[in-house]
Amino acid sequence: MEKFEAFLNGGPVHLEDVDLPAAKTDRSRWRLLDERGRQTWHYLETDEEVKGWPQSIADKYFLGTETGLPHLPAPLTGLGAARNALDFFSHLQLPPGNWACDYGGPMFLLPGLVVAWYVTDTPVPESHRIEIKNYLFARQHPQNGGWGLHIEGESSVFGTAMNYVVLRLIGVSEEHPRMIKARGMLHRLGGAVNGPHWAKFWLSVLGVCEWQAVNPVPPELWLLPDWVPIAPWRWWIHIRQVFLPMSYVSSKGFSFPPTPLTLKIREEIYTEPYATIDFASHRNSISPVDNYHPKSWLLRSLNWLIVNVWSPYLRLDAIAKRAESWTAQLIEYEDLNTDYANLGPVSGPMNLLACYIRDGEGSYAVKRHRERMHDFLWMKGEGMQMNGTNGVQTWDTAFAVQVVVEAGLADEPKWKTMLVKALEFLDDQQIRENCVDQELCYRQRRKGAWAFSTREQGYTVSDCTAEALKSVILLQNRPGFPRLISDERLKDAVDTLLTMQNASGGFSSYEPTRGPEYLEMLNAAEVFGRIMIEYDYPECTTAVVTALSLFTQYYPDHRSLDIKRIKDDALRYIRRAQLPDGSWYGSWGICFTYASMFALESLASVGETHDTSEHSRRGCQFLLGKQMEDGGWGESYHACEMGVYTHHERSQVVNTAWACIGLMIAQYPDPTPIAKALRNIILARQQPNGEWLQEAIEGVFNKSCMISYPNYKFIFPIKALGMYAHLHGDLQLA
């Protein structure tokens, strides 16, 4: 306590000075198991297990240990550098044919899982406890001791309160110097009463907050008729699947009975004694750091009516029971249609808890959910994190295939086995059937589609389907490659894509836009923007346009009029979405650089390039105007938050590759700025073994949360180097 008071009084408590040696597991005992794309990490306890299951190069790479891969001959050309990179990247391909990666970044995912484990009495292996602690310590802010919404974000109540609680639940003492530092930061932010909605939900489940502090998410919303403009089926799928179990759990009022540990936590995460807190008065309290999307007057008014009128006076038991029964049924549909993999790592632990409340600990649903939670966990050099989904298997594998083809390397014998394995994986992962009771549970058509991760997860994604479709067509129409996916299955994929266009002409992610934009007035998450409905995305639209263009080259008679109409409408959207400075806003990668690369590809696919299109010229001028003095490009994640291009303090390999690709796709006539970027950044930073080292975070969702795509540092530089060679001649390095 003396240390804590010293910190609050400005005393010199520095993590680097007081950190204690952290116990670590033996990295040589970790193994990644990939079963048809399902990725789970295992810690081998015995020497016999270690001997029987050798560690792979990919395992070692992910764990940050020495891979044993040799230094390669110094490349003499850009294509030589691309081959070196592909040589390294090929060793990371997993046995089913896919690539995996650390898909981390968000710092609010582990807390939901660990709280769900704790309150459902789920056994947690000691190896996992140790490495979760190590990861959270590694990602703790080095100065103030807090955690942010994501790994590069500033410390917030959401990140700090929830990750502090995680560390306490897995056994870290409140007197550990790092915990003292974290607690001090949390108190300076006003304590856990200033957490956003999702934080208060999980803290109430744990029993260290009162439900009166949580704004309502009544399950009766799911009883609204479909025609009602705010009915949940109109919401974006992720918010829909989060609020579904959240509403069930909160309606049940589940709160874990107090334990000696949780009673201690109650006194640690607030700035005043727990018993004196008026929790109801803090339903709308939130730290300015967390309040990215403030609650609208409409949401505040509705919350007041639900809390003060509906719940105490009008909510009959029969209505509550009917609503709980229907939400439980919808959760069951979600579990059935994903084999309990669920949409993502926020809803997954909530569904586990809902099934625990409804069915009890011994049920199959709880048992299967517990198994599936491991699909989200990822082991790396820093420790164990939770991925943003159960992986990026299909997405990264589709891109990997394309860049080999586009770099002109697909016909080289060295890469054929790798490519055939990737094709086999895409064959295995195509979704062959629609959901059970698809209309009843409001799911998008999925027959013929590909998911972001795996077939089992089973959610149609427009650009994942499009990129996988392109990869399959590119390989299956090359001499010497097998035709694993039939014409009918390819047509199924196209038929699904044709159901996904919005009235605007653009394409969204999981399904067409179903609700009006004013639904953002009901955004209760507070820490995210653009979360309530689907939106048009230049990235998704480009993927679909280019996939349809490639498809019609080989299948000109299949729905040709529909495809032409949809492409024409999509291109009109791309032109309309261009901003006055010539850029496009990116919603899935950082940020304007990423989206501009895709949009320029859309235009080029119909012959609109720098010399023929004002839109393309403006896009090129935007990119050239952001080139840094060293020749590279570097865009900060703050651009996503603010909607204004923001330079990173240093050029980035991935941003540089995106900009170069955009310029080359647009056929910008002067190769000089592109060659400068390739030489000074991409080639200069390539390591002797062919890899590039991790730099700043690459991805984003909902404007405010960043997420990692570490395979992008292989995929896009290889593509950029190959494209340059074919457009301007191979770049000479000696």
Side-chain angles (χ1 to χ4, degrees):
M1 185 59 68
E2 290 179 2
K3 292 178 183 176
F4 181 51
E5 290 174 352
F7 170 72
L8 288 179
N9 293 325
V13 182
H14 301 289
L15 297 183
E16 60 271 20
D17 295 333
V18 300
D19 194 16
L20 302 176
K24 289 188 176 182
T25 58
D26 182 349
R27 293 293 189 269
S28 69
R29 292 181 176 271
W30 284 100
R31 303 291 186 273
L32 177 63
L33 178 64
D34 189 332
E35 303 169 288
R36 297 181 65 185
R38 185 192 177 199
Q39 299 166 172
T40 51
W41 281 94
H42 302 263
Y43 190 70
L44 308 184
E45 299 287 352
T46 69
D47 292 341
E48 289 74 18
E49 289 176 309
V50 172
K51 185 177 179 180
W53 187 355
Q55 201 169 49
S56 70
I57 291 173
D59 292 337
K60 295 174 183 176
Y61 176 77
F62 298 138
L63 293 165
T65 60
E66 180 56 51
T67 63
L69 292 177
H71 288 190
L72 300 171
L76 301 178
T77 66
L79 268 183
R83 290 188 181 95
N84 280 1
L86 191 55
D87 186 281
F88 187 95
F89 192 46
S90 68
H91 285 94
L92 305 184
Q93 188 180 31
L94 300 176
N98 63 291
W99 277 265
C101 71
D102 149 25
Y103 188 51
M107 293 302 297
F108 60 90
L109 302 177
L110 267 175
L113 174 62
V114 174
V115 170
W117 274 344
Y118 189 84
V119 302
T120 61
D121 199 28
T122 298
V124 182
E126 184 63 17
S127 57
H128 289 48
R129 290 176 179 266
I130 291 170
E131 295 302 344
I132 287 172
K133 177 193 70 174
N134 289 335
Y135 175 72
L136 292 181
F137 279 178
R139 286 299 176 179
Q140 191 174 19
H141 194 284
Q143 279 79 46
N144 62 44
W147 292 268
L149 182 66
H150 57 87
I151 58 175
E152 294 189 12
E154 62 180 316
S155 296
S156 64
V157 175
F158 196 10
T160 304
M162 296 308 299
N163 286 298
Y164 179 93
V165 168
V166 168
L167 288 165
R168 294 291 281 122
L169 294 179
I170 62 176
V172 180
S173 167
E174 75 275 21
E175 288 301 315
H176 189 293
R178 285 181 173 268
M179 302 296 279
I180 294 171
K181 190 83 167 180
R183 201 158 63 248
M185 184 62 198
L186 177 58
H187 285 203
R188 285 195 296 179
L189 290 168
V193 293
N194 282 337
H197 185 238
W198 294 8
K200 290 171 180 170
F201 168 83
W202 280 119
L203 293 175
S204 297
V205 165
L206 182 60
V208 298
C209 181
E210 299 298 319
W211 279 108
Q212 292 95 317
V214 185
N215 271 310
V217 186
E220 295 89 283
L221 285 168
W222 270 262
L223 299 179
L224 291 173
D226 288 352
W227 58 264
V228 175
I230 66 168
W233 76 276
R234 300 179 184 275
W235 304 351
W236 185 46
I237 186 63
H238 275 280
I239 203 69
R240 200 159 81 222
Q241 291 301 341
V242 168
F243 278 14
L244 176 65
M246 185 181 279
S247 68
Y248 179 86
V249 172
S250 60
S251 182
K252 290 293 187 180
F254 177 90
S255 186
F256 192 66
T259 66
L261 176 58
T262 58
L263 289 174
K264 279 186 167 185
I265 294 172
R266 284 182 176 184
E267 302 305 325
E268 294 164 14
I269 62 176
Y270 301 103
T271 59
E272 60 182 293
Y274 189 84
T276 68
I277 300 172
D278 179 6
F279 281 97
S281 70
H282 287 291
R283 280 192 301 106
N284 294 313
S285 298
I286 185 169
S287 164
V289 178
D290 295 78
N291 202 17
Y292 181 77
H293 186 100
K295 291 183 286 292
S296 68
W297 66 268
L298 177 61
L299 182 59
R300 284 174 175 267
S301 301
L302 289 173
N303 286 340
W304 187 93
L305 288 170
I306 293 168
V307 169
N308 295 290
V309 180
W310 171 255
S311 294
Y313 301 115
L314 302 178
R315 191 186 193 225
L316 302 176
D317 286 345
I319 295 175
K321 288 179 180 178
R322 184 182 170 207
E324 289 171 1
S325 175
W326 179 232
T327 53
Q329 179 64 55
L330 289 173
I331 292 169
E332 192 171 317
Y333 279 130
E334 165 72 352
D335 291 343
L336 175 65
N337 283 313
T338 64
D339 188 17
Y340 295 85
N342 295 150
L343 175 62
V346 178
S347 59
M350 289 183 181
N351 281 3
L352 163 62
L353 177 57
C355 291
Y356 181 85
I357 295 168
R358 183 192 64 190
D359 302 327
E361 182 172 358
S363 67
Y364 174 80
V366 170
K367 175 179 179 293
R368 188 62 174 147
H369 270 301
R370 283 171 168 165
E371 294 169 352
R372 282 298 199 179
M373 292 303 103
H374 293 273
D375 297 16
F376 297 114
L377 294 171
W378 186 263
M379 183 62 196
K380 56 188 291 188
E382 294 173 325
M384 180 167 280
Q385 66 174 30
M386 199 169 186
N387 276 347
T389 61
N390 61 334
V392 298
Q393 297 89 319
T394 294
W395 180 248
D396 278 6
T397 301
F399 270 143
V401 168
Q402 289 179 43
V403 300
V404 178
V405 174
E406 291 165 349
L409 304 177
D411 295 326
E412 296 182 4
K414 182 175 182 178
W415 316 117
K416 184 170 183 180
T417 299
M418 177 190 76
L419 292 171
V420 169
K421 285 175 60 181
L423 178 60
E424 290 170 348
F425 179 78
L426 294 175
D427 169 34
D428 185 52
Q429 294 302 311
Q430 190 183 23
I431 302 168
R432 310 291 183 86
E433 68 289 313
N434 286 317
C435 291
V436 175
D437 291 324
Q438 175 178 299
E439 291 78 16
L440 198 59
C441 53
Y442 305 112
R443 286 287 299 273
Q444 177 69 19
R445 171 194 159 108
R446 69 178 189 178
K447 183 180 180 183
W450 279 269
F452 183 70
S453 57
T454 63
R455 175 180 174 179
E456 280 187 327
Q457 191 260 7
Y459 271 87
T460 300
V461 185
S462 63
D463 54 353
C464 298
T465 299
E467 301 295 356
L469 176 64
K470 285 194 286 185
S471 298
V472 170
I473 292 174
L474 287 171
L475 282 186
Q476 290 195 162
N477 287 281
R478 299 190 79 82
F481 283 89
R483 295 187 66 85
L484 302 179
I485 299 181
S486 68
D487 292 351
E488 288 308 308
R489 286 170 57 193
L490 296 178
K491 292 174 183 177
D492 284 340
V494 169
D495 291 345
T496 291
L497 288 175
L498 296 183
T499 69
M500 300 186 74
Q501 190 171 37
N502 293 322
S504 64
F507 282 80
S508 303
S509 53
Y510 292 89
E511 53 201 19
T513 303
R514 295 176 172 183
E517 191 169 354
Y518 64 70
L519 278 174
E520 291 297 344
M521 295 183 72
L522 303 183
N523 179 350
E526 300 162 318
V527 295
F528 308 112
R530 286 164 56 101
I531 196 172
M532 288 303 296
I533 63 169
E534 282 275 17
Y535 289 88
D536 297 318
Y537 303 115
E539 307 99 300
C540 297
T541 305
T542 293
V544 175
V545 166
T546 54
L548 294 177
S549 295
L550 182 63
F551 176 81
T552 54
Q553 291 180 29
Y554 295 94
Y555 304 93
D557 297 328
H558 182 73
R559 301 188 64 177
S560 57
L561 294 179
D562 290 334
I563 290 173
K564 182 181 184 306
R565 172 181 51 80
I566 280 175
K567 283 177 57 180
D568 288 346
D569 289 346
L571 266 296
R572 278 191 284 272
Y573 156 73
I574 288 288
R575 298 183 194 104
R576 193 169 60 249
Q578 190 173 28
L579 299 171
D581 66 357
S583 69
W584 288 263
Y585 179 84
S587 297
W588 304 106
I590 298 172
C591 170
F592 296 94
T593 316
Y594 183 70
S596 296
M597 172 186 69
F598 279 99
L600 288 169
E601 184 179 9
S602 270
L603 296 172
S605 73
V606 292
E608 294 188 30
T609 61
H610 180 273
D611 289 347
T612 63
S613 164
E614 178 63 22
H615 292 283
S616 183
R617 281 192 294 275
R618 289 172 55 216
C620 290
Q621 289 306 313
F622 167 80
L623 290 175
L624 291 166
K626 303 305 178 185
Q627 191 170 22
M628 301 172 79
E629 287 187 11
D630 63 3
W633 279 263
E635 189 174 1
S636 166
Y637 75 81
H638 292 297
C640 305
E641 297 174 327
M642 299 184 297
V644 177
Y645 188 95
T646 307
H647 280 289
H648 197 280
E649 60 189 16
R650 182 173 184 257
S651 58
Q652 301 289 309
V653 165
V654 173
N655 287 153
T656 299
W658 290 341
C660 289
I661 291 167
L663 291 169
M664 288 187 284
I665 286 175
Q667 298 179 26
Y668 182 71
D670 181 5
T672 306
I674 303 169
K676 181 180 179 181
L678 295 177
R679 288 182 188 276
N680 292 4
I681 307 302
I682 291 179
L683 295 174
R685 295 186 192 173
Q686 188 176 31
Q687 303 300 299
N689 60 7
E691 70 171 318
W692 284 275
L693 302 180
Q694 185 63 33
E695 297 180 337
I697 203 162
E698 305 90 351
V700 62
F701 60 90
N702 300 120
K703 298 185 73 173
S704 61
C705 194
M706 308 306 128
I707 194 162
S708 301
Y709 286 85
N711 286 334
Y712 282 5
K713 65 180 178 287
F714 296 101
I715 290 167
F716 291 103
I718 292 171
K719 179 174 180 176
L721 292 168
M723 287 183 67
Y724 188 92
H726 289 283
L727 287 172
H728 305 293
D730 203 356
L731 198 63
Q732 299 300 309
L733 305 183

